[in-house]
Amino acid sequence: MTRKTGDLSRLWHFGFAVVLLFVSILAGGVQAWSKEGHTMTCRIAQDLLESEAAHAVKNLLPDNVDGDLSALCVWPDQVRHWYKYRWSSPLHFIDTPDGACSFDYHRDCHDQHGNEDQCVAGAIQNFTSQLRHYREGTSDRRYNLTEALIFLSHLMGDIHQPMHVGFTTDQGGNTINLRWFSHKSNLHHVWDREILLTAMKDYYEKDMDLLLQDIRGNFTDGIWSDDVSSWTDCDSLHACVTKYATESINIACKWGYKGVKPGDTLADEYFNSRLPFVMKRIAQGGVRLAMILNKVFHHGHAAMAAT
Ligand SMILES: *[C@@H]1O[C@H](CO)[C@@H](O)[C@H](O)[C@H]1NC(C)=O
Ligand SMILES: *[C@@H]1O[C@H](CO)[C@@H](O)[C@H](O)[C@H]1NC(C)=O
Ligand SMILES: *[C@@H]1O[C@H](CO)[C@@H](O)[C@H](O)[C@H]1NC(C)=O
Ligand SMILES: [Zn+2]
């Protein structure tokens, strides 16, 4: 869940807290890759940073996380309902037309009022271009580059969660209530968290380090190692984010929504066939976040075109 008791107490500082609270309940559990998904994406990425990027990331992180990017990778979900960060709430997902099974940047990347670029694909470009202003030892007053780094790292996870590029009416599966084995859930949450938690419990002794080791093994010398160079292949950041979002909606259609009706019980068959996609999306999010950070912080950093 993205709403935490701490967030709520903050809201009370504002006069219209009750209204906001009500609106956020109505907006109903619009969730995100779980804590575990974001943490793993960021740990995979940080491990793949070249020295300049590794240095810049450490330099931008606040002291209390001891150089660990993953410690802050869920933060954008925790603040999205705070008054100060309300602007960020449309930046975690993309609503595509019901049944279209495609992503078109100009058609789909906007918030509910039609403001262009207000979606996860636009936001990744936004925070990446802010980070291009990074110079060690100077502080840019236009942007908070610590926040830009954290948002970028989080949103690279979100754009890879297939149901974050879902249909408009069902809010990326959030309104499709069903059962995951014996407990109540919804289709969005199945992809955010349930599949991952069931896998950790059944196959990895609930140990994220074991799972991460397995994921890394599979892209360095395993099922994805021939594929991994194509993951980072795209001509511009705009082309990259378009590719990631397109992959997500394709998986959402073929594997997320397919055959699922409200009230269904999803169990072993769904779990076993979808698990490989969840793992691959976490791996791709991490590898690609590292690629972007390595380019952005590379000396002279003209490597990645701005458009
Ligand atoms: C870009 O980031 C700024 C905060 O630095 C924010 O106000 C703006 O809404 C963001 N736009 C997008 C498209 O992410
Ligand atoms: C940047 O954002 C972080 C996290 O919200 C905050 O702790 C820090 O004070 C901000 N820095 C500036 C210069 O505003
Ligand atoms: C890694 O690949 C093996 C097959 O070689 C597979 O059984 C395993 O589930 C994969 N693990 C992950 C986390 O992708
Ligand atoms: Zn999110």
Side-chain angles (χ1 to χ4, degrees), residues 121-137:
I124 288 170
Q125 298 179 86
N126 179 32
F127 294 116
T128 304
S129 53
Q130 293 185 15
L131 287 173
R132 288 198 184 94
H133 296 272
Y134 174 79
R135 292 286 179 287
E136 187 164 1

Side-chain angles (χ1 to χ4, degrees), residues 75 84-85 144 146-147 150:
W75 180 81
K84 184 182 172 208
Y85 291 99
N144 181 328
T146 300
E147 289 192 353
I150 296 166

